[in-house]
Amino acid sequence: MNFIIFDLECDTVYSRAHGSFINEIIEIGAVRLDAKLNRIDEYHRMVRSGISKKLSGRIKKLTGITDDEIRSEGITFAEMIDEFEEWVHKTHDNVFISWSDSDIHMMVSNLGYFTDLRTIPFIDKYADLQRYTMKKLGITGSQISLTDACERLALNEEDAAHHRALDDSEMCVDIMKKCYSKREFSSFILDTKKDCFYERLFFKPYVIKSMKNPFIDKKDFNFRCPKCHRRARPAEKYRFTGHAFKARFECPKCKNVFVGNVRVKKNFDSLSIYRYTSEVGEKGSAEKNETLEKKTQKV
Ligand SMILES: [Zn+2]
């Protein structure tokens, strides 16, 4: 087994053909490691835009890449894919690794735009190093940046040019070397030919806004009185406002009046349900509330 740790830089350009903005790859960097994490070789290329003649000001500032650099060193996206594929196939049984799956997402989108491919033909196995590192560091919730991860792991990356494809790949290599455990990492390796890999990649989780949605289970909409814990009855119909369904409740015993809040988020193959109560007139917040219940169930 070998690891191919890669990173992409992109520019956001307006495509007249599609009538929308797309993230176009302008640079790729990759480092190959063997199963013992020894460095074998690396790959780097600048990619010339097929859509825009000049880089955006924002990307020049962020990456330091210049139009001249792209003009003199850049090849087309299709040429880069052919060349990269050839480089990849110098070894077999490669596990691709990137920091969050957004670069895989971007490569598939660019393939879809410039070729007739809808999947990446040379990536059979993939692992998201961001997910793995967050698990290792015991971080839940919002995603951490590559720089943030290096700081937490006490990796000195001061010399690295951030937001350059090869340097970012090198940072991932250092994180990999610091955090890698064969047994733990193996459960993060996905087979791109199975488990609806691409469907999952492109699925956007959404909050359900209609009570008629088939994923809504009425049982999740009952509440107990936060004061006396009796079963309370809704005094009105649920309505969706802000981020959640809300309804006023009245306790049959202590006459306490409160608001029941339910937020249902549809993920690829599960539902995340957040339930909490708030006082009437108060802006209910899932984070602040003591009676918060969170659950995720497979669907
Ligand atoms: Zn009560």
Side-chain angles (χ1 to χ4, degrees), residues 206-211 216 220-221 223 236-249 259-265 272-278 282-287 289 292-293:
Y206 60 90
V207 173
I208 294 174
K209 294 179 179 178
S210 163
M211 289 295 282
I216 291 291
D220 294 321
F221 288 76
F223 280 91
E236 61 184 2
K237 274 194 172 172
Y238 268 100
R239 67 207 182 286
F240 187 87
T241 56
H243 307 284
F245 292 103
K246 294 170 195 285
R248 203 158 36 82
F249 277 72
V259 178
N261 302 262
V262 185
R263 194 163 92 101
V264 185
K265 195 168 90 183
S272 301
I273 301 158
Y274 306 90
R275 291 161 35 82
Y276 54 97
T277 58
S278 54
E282 177 200 48
K283 264 200 173 176
S285 152
E287 285 68 33
N289 207 280
L292 174 69
E293 271 178 54

Side-chain angles (χ1 to χ4, degrees), residues 39 42-43 51 56 62 69 75 84 87 90 94-95 100 142 158 175-176 192 216 226 244 271 279 285 288 291:
R39 186 193 194 88
E42 61 181 45
Y43 177 84
I51 300 169
S56 69
L62 181 73
E69 206 175 340
I75 57 176
F84 184 57
W87 179 81
K90 282 184 187 173
N94 302 309
V95 177
S100 94
S142 54
E158 275 168 15
I175 291 172
M176 201 46 194
T192 64
I216 291 291
L271 290 176
E279 281 175 34
S285 152
K288 274 188 236 159
T291 57

